[in-house]
Amino acid sequence: MPKETFFGIDKEKQNRIIQAAIKVFSSHNYNDSSINEVIKLAKIPRGSFYQYFEDKRDLYLYITQKIMQNFRDDFF
């Protein structure tokens, strides 16, 4: 799960990171997805990424949980 610093940034920046991650993870399998591509698309420094997430797995789990929650909300 994201670190507290992620929830402290503005929603626009959070959404940019989330959308970049969705794009990267949906374009490549997990092993071929890279943090470099996420930070490039999200336009954030590498150091900022690690202030928000522990690693790629942490981001991936957060994104998949968020997608599943949106699916459940829409379905029910």
Side-chain angles (χ1 to χ4, degrees), residues 4-20:
E4 286 300 315
T5 53
F6 179 74
F7 298 109
I9 62 176
D10 63 79
K11 294 292 183 191
E12 186 275 327
K13 190 172 187 180
Q14 285 181 18
N15 287 332
R16 231 177 38 234
I17 295 167
I18 290 167
Q19 292 306 312

mmCIF file with all atom_site columns, all heavy atoms in Angstrom, residues 4-20:
data_model
loop_
_atom_site.group_PDB
_atom_site.id
_atom_site.type_symbol
_atom_site.label_atom_id
_atom_site.label_alt_id
_atom_site.label_comp_id
_atom_site.label_asym_id
_atom_site.label_entity_id
_atom_site.label_seq_id
_atom_site.pdbx_PDB_ins_code
_atom_site.Cartn_x
_atom_site.Cartn_y
_atom_site.Cartn_z
_atom_site.occupancy
_atom_site.B_iso_or_equiv
_atom_site.pdbx_formal_charge
_atom_site.auth_seq_id
_atom_site.auth_comp_id
_atom_site.auth_asym_id
_atom_site.auth_atom_id
_atom_site.pdbx_PDB_model_num
ATOM 1   N N   . GLU A 1 4  ? 2.107  7.093  3.517   1.00 0.00 ? 4  GLU A N   1
ATOM 2   C CA  . GLU A 1 4  ? 1.265  8.247  3.868   1.00 0.00 ? 4  GLU A CA  1
ATOM 3   C C   . GLU A 1 4  ? 1.563  9.462  2.988   1.00 0.00 ? 4  GLU A C   1
ATOM 4   O O   . GLU A 1 4  ? 0.675  10.258 2.711   1.00 0.00 ? 4  GLU A O   1
ATOM 5   C CB  . GLU A 1 4  ? 1.433  8.612  5.343   1.00 0.00 ? 4  GLU A CB  1
ATOM 6   C CG  . GLU A 1 4  ? 0.742  7.650  6.281   1.00 0.00 ? 4  GLU A CG  1
ATOM 7   C CD  . GLU A 1 4  ? -0.760 7.579  6.050   1.00 0.00 ? 4  GLU A CD  1
ATOM 8   O OE1 . GLU A 1 4  ? -1.402 8.636  5.898   1.00 0.00 ? 4  GLU A OE1 1
ATOM 9   O OE2 . GLU A 1 4  ? -1.283 6.454  6.020   1.00 0.00 ? 4  GLU A OE2 1
ATOM 10  N N   . THR A 1 5  ? 2.805  9.603  2.539   1.00 0.00 ? 5  THR A N   1
ATOM 11  C CA  . THR A 1 5  ? 3.160  10.756 1.704   1.00 0.00 ? 5  THR A CA  1
ATOM 12  C C   . THR A 1 5  ? 2.357  10.783 0.406   1.00 0.00 ? 5  THR A C   1
ATOM 13  O O   . THR A 1 5  ? 2.062  11.850 -0.123  1.00 0.00 ? 5  THR A O   1
ATOM 14  C CB  . THR A 1 5  ? 4.666  10.780 1.379   1.00 0.00 ? 5  THR A CB  1
ATOM 15  O OG1 . THR A 1 5  ? 5.050  9.515  0.828   1.00 0.00 ? 5  THR A OG1 1
ATOM 16  C CG2 . THR A 1 5  ? 5.496  11.074 2.609   1.00 0.00 ? 5  THR A CG2 1
ATOM 17  N N   . PHE A 1 6  ? 2.000  9.601  -0.112  1.00 0.00 ? 6  PHE A N   1
ATOM 18  C CA  . PHE A 1 6  ? 1.213  9.549  -1.344  1.00 0.00 ? 6  PHE A CA  1
ATOM 19  C C   . PHE A 1 6  ? -0.146 10.205 -1.138  1.00 0.00 ? 6  PHE A C   1
ATOM 20  O O   . PHE A 1 6  ? -0.637 10.936 -1.998  1.00 0.00 ? 6  PHE A O   1
ATOM 21  C CB  . PHE A 1 6  ? 1.025  8.100  -1.811  1.00 0.00 ? 6  PHE A CB  1
ATOM 22  C CG  . PHE A 1 6  ? 0.197  7.973  -3.056  1.00 0.00 ? 6  PHE A CG  1
ATOM 23  C CD1 . PHE A 1 6  ? 0.710  8.327  -4.289  1.00 0.00 ? 6  PHE A CD1 1
ATOM 24  C CD2 . PHE A 1 6  ? -1.107 7.509  -2.994  1.00 0.00 ? 6  PHE A CD2 1
ATOM 25  C CE1 . PHE A 1 6  ? -0.052 8.214  -5.449  1.00 0.00 ? 6  PHE A CE1 1
ATOM 26  C CE2 . PHE A 1 6  ? -1.885 7.384  -4.143  1.00 0.00 ? 6  PHE A CE2 1
ATOM 27  C CZ  . PHE A 1 6  ? -1.352 7.748  -5.366  1.00 0.00 ? 6  PHE A CZ  1
ATOM 28  N N   . PHE A 1 7  ? -0.758 9.948  -0.004  1.00 0.00 ? 7  PHE A N   1
ATOM 29  C CA  . PHE A 1 7  ? -2.084 10.499 0.263   1.00 0.00 ? 7  PHE A CA  1
ATOM 30  C C   . PHE A 1 7  ? -2.028 11.988 0.610   1.00 0.00 ? 7  PHE A C   1
ATOM 31  O O   . PHE A 1 7  ? -3.050 12.654 0.629   1.00 0.00 ? 7  PHE A O   1
ATOM 32  C CB  . PHE A 1 7  ? -2.773 9.696  1.360   1.00 0.00 ? 7  PHE A CB  1
ATOM 33  C CG  . PHE A 1 7  ? -2.975 8.266  0.960   1.00 0.00 ? 7  PHE A CG  1
ATOM 34  C CD1 . PHE A 1 7  ? -2.239 7.249  1.558   1.00 0.00 ? 7  PHE A CD1 1
ATOM 35  C CD2 . PHE A 1 7  ? -3.874 7.924  -0.034  1.00 0.00 ? 7  PHE A CD2 1
ATOM 36  C CE1 . PHE A 1 7  ? -2.410 5.928  1.175   1.00 0.00 ? 7  PHE A CE1 1
ATOM 37  C CE2 . PHE A 1 7  ? -4.051 6.606  -0.435  1.00 0.00 ? 7  PHE A CE2 1
ATOM 38  C CZ  . PHE A 1 7  ? -3.317 5.613  0.182   1.00 0.00 ? 7  PHE A CZ  1
ATOM 39  N N   . GLY A 1 8  ? -0.812 12.486 0.853   1.00 0.00 ? 8  GLY A N   1
ATOM 40  C CA  . GLY A 1 8  ? -0.638 13.908 1.151   1.00 0.00 ? 8  GLY A CA  1
ATOM 41  C C   . GLY A 1 8  ? -0.457 14.783 -0.079  1.00 0.00 ? 8  GLY A C   1
ATOM 42  O O   . GLY A 1 8  ? -0.532 16.005 0.016   1.00 0.00 ? 8  GLY A O   1
ATOM 43  N N   . ILE A 1 9  ? -0.224 14.160 -1.245  1.00 0.00 ? 9  ILE A N   1
ATOM 44  C CA  . ILE A 1 9  ? -0.053 14.962 -2.461  1.00 0.00 ? 9  ILE A CA  1
ATOM 45  C C   . ILE A 1 9  ? -1.419 15.255 -3.068  1.00 0.00 ? 9  ILE A C   1
ATOM 46  O O   . ILE A 1 9  ? -2.402 14.588 -2.759  1.00 0.00 ? 9  ILE A O   1
ATOM 47  C CB  . ILE A 1 9  ? 0.886  14.275 -3.483  1.00 0.00 ? 9  ILE A CB  1
ATOM 48  C CG1 . ILE A 1 9  ? 0.318  12.936 -3.951  1.00 0.00 ? 9  ILE A CG1 1
ATOM 49  C CG2 . ILE A 1 9  ? 2.277  14.114 -2.901  1.00 0.00 ? 9  ILE A CG2 1
ATOM 50  C CD1 . ILE A 1 9  ? 1.142  12.241 -5.039  1.00 0.00 ? 9  ILE A CD1 1
ATOM 51  N N   . ASP A 1 10 ? -1.461 16.256 -3.935  1.00 0.00 ? 10 ASP A N   1
ATOM 52  C CA  . ASP A 1 10 ? -2.755 16.639 -4.507  1.00 0.00 ? 10 ASP A CA  1
ATOM 53  C C   . ASP A 1 10 ? -3.318 15.539 -5.396  1.00 0.00 ? 10 ASP A C   1
ATOM 54  O O   . ASP A 1 10 ? -2.594 14.694 -5.926  1.00 0.00 ? 10 ASP A O   1
ATOM 55  C CB  . ASP A 1 10 ? -2.647 17.965 -5.270  1.00 0.00 ? 10 ASP A CB  1
ATOM 56  C CG  . ASP A 1 10 ? -1.714 17.895 -6.464  1.00 0.00 ? 10 ASP A CG  1
ATOM 57  O OD1 . ASP A 1 10 ? -2.156 17.367 -7.507  1.00 0.00 ? 10 ASP A OD1 1
ATOM 58  O OD2 . ASP A 1 10 ? -0.567 18.360 -6.345  1.00 0.00 ? 10 ASP A OD2 1
ATOM 59  N N   . LYS A 1 11 ? -4.628 15.529 -5.526  1.00 0.00 ? 11 LYS A N   1
ATOM 60  C CA  . LYS A 1 11 ? -5.345 14.478 -6.255  1.00 0.00 ? 11 LYS A CA  1
ATOM 61  C C   . LYS A 1 11 ? -4.916 14.383 -7.717  1.00 0.00 ? 11 LYS A C   1
ATOM 62  O O   . LYS A 1 11 ? -4.863 13.305 -8.287  1.00 0.00 ? 11 LYS A O   1
ATOM 63  C CB  . LYS A 1 11 ? -6.864 14.701 -6.178  1.00 0.00 ? 11 LYS A CB  1
ATOM 64  C CG  . LYS A 1 11 ? -7.423 14.546 -4.789  1.00 0.00 ? 11 LYS A CG  1
ATOM 65  C CD  . LYS A 1 11 ? -7.329 13.119 -4.330  1.00 0.00 ? 11 LYS A CD  1
ATOM 66  C CE  . LYS A 1 11 ? -7.966 12.977 -2.960  1.00 0.00 ? 11 LYS A CE  1
ATOM 67  N NZ  . LYS A 1 11 ? -7.683 11.683 -2.356  1.00 0.00 ? 11 LYS A NZ  1
ATOM 68  N N   . GLU A 1 12 ? -4.614 15.518 -8.331  1.00 0.00 ? 12 GLU A N   1
ATOM 69  C CA  . GLU A 1 12 ? -4.200 15.518 -9.736  1.00 0.00 ? 12 GLU A CA  1
ATOM 70  C C   . GLU A 1 12 ? -2.912 14.712 -9.905  1.00 0.00 ? 12 GLU A C   1
ATOM 71  O O   . GLU A 1 12 ? -2.786 13.910 -10.828 1.00 0.00 ? 12 GLU A O   1
ATOM 72  C CB  . GLU A 1 12 ? -4.017 16.960 -10.229 1.00 0.00 ? 12 GLU A CB  1
ATOM 73  C CG  . GLU A 1 12 ? -3.723 17.082 -11.714 1.00 0.00 ? 12 GLU A CG  1
ATOM 74  C CD  . GLU A 1 12 ? -2.238 16.929 -12.055 1.00 0.00 ? 12 GLU A CD  1
ATOM 75  O OE1 . GLU A 1 12 ? -1.394 17.336 -11.230 1.00 0.00 ? 12 GLU A OE1 1
ATOM 76  O OE2 . GLU A 1 12 ? -1.929 16.391 -13.135 1.00 0.00 ? 12 GLU A OE2 1
ATOM 77  N N   . LYS A 1 13 ? -1.967 14.901 -8.991  1.00 0.00 ? 13 LYS A N   1
ATOM 78  C CA  . LYS A 1 13 ? -0.700 14.178 -9.069  1.00 0.00 ? 13 LYS A CA  1
ATOM 79  C C   . LYS A 1 13 ? -0.912 12.693 -8.757  1.00 0.00 ? 13 LYS A C   1
ATOM 80  O O   . LYS A 1 13 ? -0.333 11.829 -9.418  1.00 0.00 ? 13 LYS A O   1
ATOM 81  C CB  . LYS A 1 13 ? 0.308  14.786 -8.094  1.00 0.00 ? 13 LYS A CB  1
ATOM 82  C CG  . LYS A 1 13 ? 1.719  14.278 -8.266  1.00 0.00 ? 13 LYS A CG  1
ATOM 83  C CD  . LYS A 1 13 ? 2.667  15.082 -7.406  1.00 0.00 ? 13 LYS A CD  1
ATOM 84  C CE  . LYS A 1 13 ? 4.109  14.723 -7.667  1.00 0.00 ? 13 LYS A CE  1
ATOM 85  N NZ  . LYS A 1 13 ? 5.017  15.524 -6.824  1.00 0.00 ? 13 LYS A NZ  1
ATOM 86  N N   . GLN A 1 14 ? -1.758 12.391 -7.787  1.00 0.00 ? 14 GLN A N   1
ATOM 87  C CA  . GLN A 1 14 ? -2.093 10.999 -7.491  1.00 0.00 ? 14 GLN A CA  1
ATOM 88  C C   . GLN A 1 14 ? -2.671 10.329 -8.740  1.00 0.00 ? 14 GLN A C   1
ATOM 89  O O   . GLN A 1 14 ? -2.261 9.226  -9.107  1.00 0.00 ? 14 GLN A O   1
ATOM 90  C CB  . GLN A 1 14 ? -3.121 10.901 -6.368  1.00 0.00 ? 14 GLN A CB  1
ATOM 91  C CG  . GLN A 1 14 ? -2.588 11.157 -4.996  1.00 0.00 ? 14 GLN A CG  1
ATOM 92  C CD  . GLN A 1 14 ? -3.671 11.017 -3.935  1.00 0.00 ? 14 GLN A CD  1
ATOM 93  O OE1 . GLN A 1 14 ? -4.722 10.423 -4.167  1.00 0.00 ? 14 GLN A OE1 1
ATOM 94  N NE2 . GLN A 1 14 ? -3.411 11.565 -2.758  1.00 0.00 ? 14 GLN A NE2 1
ATOM 95  N N   . ASN A 1 15 ? -3.612 11.001 -9.382  1.00 0.00 ? 15 ASN A N   1
ATOM 96  C CA  . ASN A 1 15 ? -4.244 10.446 -10.581 1.00 0.00 ? 15 ASN A CA  1
ATOM 97  C C   . ASN A 1 15 ? -3.262 10.260 -11.722 1.00 0.00 ? 15 ASN A C   1
ATOM 98  O O   . ASN A 1 15 ? -3.352 9.288  -12.478 1.00 0.00 ? 15 ASN A O   1
ATOM 99  C CB  . ASN A 1 15 ? -5.423 11.318 -11.027 1.00 0.00 ? 15 ASN A CB  1
ATOM 100 C CG  . ASN A 1 15 ? -6.607 11.173 -10.101 1.00 0.00 ? 15 ASN A CG  1
ATOM 101 O OD1 . ASN A 1 15 ? -6.793 10.128 -9.473  1.00 0.00 ? 15 ASN A OD1 1
ATOM 102 N ND2 . ASN A 1 15 ? -7.401 12.211 -9.999  1.00 0.00 ? 15 ASN A ND2 1
ATOM 103 N N   . ARG A 1 16 ? -2.317 11.187 -11.864 1.00 0.00 ? 16 ARG A N   1
ATOM 104 C CA  . ARG A 1 16 ? -1.290 11.066 -12.903 1.00 0.00 ? 16 ARG A CA  1
ATOM 105 C C   . ARG A 1 16 ? -0.461 9.798  -12.682 1.00 0.00 ? 16 ARG A C   1
ATOM 106 O O   . ARG A 1 16 ? -0.177 9.053  -13.621 1.00 0.00 ? 16 ARG A O   1
ATOM 107 C CB  . ARG A 1 16 ? -0.382 12.300 -12.862 1.00 0.00 ? 16 ARG A CB  1
ATOM 108 C CG  . ARG A 1 16 ? -0.202 12.950 -14.170 1.00 0.00 ? 16 ARG A CG  1
ATOM 109 C CD  . ARG A 1 16 ? 0.616  14.211 -14.188 1.00 0.00 ? 16 ARG A CD  1
ATOM 110 N NE  . ARG A 1 16 ? 1.761  14.253 -13.318 1.00 0.00 ? 16 ARG A NE  1
ATOM 111 C CZ  . ARG A 1 16 ? 1.990  15.217 -12.417 1.00 0.00 ? 16 ARG A CZ  1
ATOM 112 N NH1 . ARG A 1 16 ? 1.152  16.210 -12.266 1.00 0.00 ? 16 ARG A NH1 1
ATOM 113 N NH2 . ARG A 1 16 ? 3.065  15.189 -11.676 1.00 0.00 ? 16 ARG A NH2 1
ATOM 114 N N   . ILE A 1 17 ? -0.102 9.547  -11.437 1.00 0.00 ? 17 ILE A N   1
ATOM 115 C CA  . ILE A 1 17 ? 0.695  8.362  -11.104 1.00 0.00 ? 17 ILE A CA  1
ATOM 116 C C   . ILE A 1 17 ? -0.123 7.095  -11.341 1.00 0.00 ? 17 ILE A C   1
ATOM 117 O O   . ILE A 1 17 ? 0.351  6.128  -11.939 1.00 0.00 ? 17 ILE A O   1
ATOM 118 C CB  . ILE A 1 17 ? 1.204  8.438  -9.649  1.00 0.00 ? 17 ILE A CB  1
ATOM 119 C CG1 . ILE A 1 17 ? 2.187  9.616  -9.498  1.00 0.00 ? 17 ILE A CG1 1
ATOM 120 C CG2 . ILE A 1 17 ? 1.858  7.118  -9.229  1.00 0.00 ? 17 ILE A CG2 1
ATOM 121 C CD1 . ILE A 1 17 ? 2.523  9.979  -8.067  1.00 0.00 ? 17 ILE A CD1 1
ATOM 122 N N   . ILE A 1 18 ? -1.364 7.114  -10.895 1.00 0.00 ? 18 ILE A N   1
ATOM 123 C CA  . ILE A 1 18 ? -2.245 5.952  -11.064 1.00 0.00 ? 18 ILE A CA  1
ATOM 124 C C   . ILE A 1 18 ? -2.469 5.653  -12.540 1.00 0.00 ? 18 ILE A C   1
ATOM 125 O O   . ILE A 1 18 ? -2.348 4.510  -12.982 1.00 0.00 ? 18 ILE A O   1
ATOM 126 C CB  . ILE A 1 18 ? -3.587 6.179  -10.335 1.00 0.00 ? 18 ILE A CB  1
ATOM 127 C CG1 . ILE A 1 18 ? -3.355 6.155  -8.819  1.00 0.00 ? 18 ILE A CG1 1
ATOM 128 C CG2 . ILE A 1 18 ? -4.626 5.154  -10.759 1.00 0.00 ? 18 ILE A CG2 1
ATOM 129 C CD1 . ILE A 1 18 ? -4.525 6.669  -8.006  1.00 0.00 ? 18 ILE A CD1 1
ATOM 130 N N   . GLN A 1 19 ? -2.769 6.671  -13.325 1.00 0.00 ? 19 GLN A N   1
ATOM 131 C CA  . GLN A 1 19 ? -3.009 6.460  -14.757 1.00 0.00 ? 19 GLN A CA  1
ATOM 132 C C   . GLN A 1 19 ? -1.745 5.972  -15.464 1.00 0.00 ? 19 GLN A C   1
ATOM 133 O O   . GLN A 1 19 ? -1.821 5.119  -16.352 1.00 0.00 ? 19 GLN A O   1
ATOM 134 C CB  . GLN A 1 19 ? -3.538 7.741  -15.405 1.00 0.00 ? 19 GLN A CB  1
ATOM 135 C CG  . GLN A 1 19 ? -4.924 8.129  -14.954 1.00 0.00 ? 19 GLN A CG  1
ATOM 136 C CD  . GLN A 1 19 ? -5.931 7.003  -15.132 1.00 0.00 ? 19 GLN A CD  1
ATOM 137 O OE1 . GLN A 1 19 ? -6.013 6.386  -16.185 1.00 0.00 ? 19 GLN A OE1 1
ATOM 138 N NE2 . GLN A 1 19 ? -6.694 6.729  -14.096 1.00 0.00 ? 19 GLN A NE2 1
ATOM 139 N N   . ALA A 1 20 ? -0.596 6.507  -15.086 1.00 0.00 ? 20 ALA A N   1
ATOM 140 C CA  . ALA A 1 20 ? 0.664  6.052  -15.680 1.00 0.00 ? 20 ALA A CA  1
ATOM 141 C C   . ALA A 1 20 ? 0.903  4.583  -15.342 1.00 0.00 ? 20 ALA A C   1
ATOM 142 O O   . ALA A 1 20 ? 1.283  3.791  -16.212 1.00 0.00 ? 20 ALA A O   1
ATOM 143 C CB  . ALA A 1 20 ? 1.822  6.913  -15.176 1.00 0.00 ? 20 ALA A CB  1
#
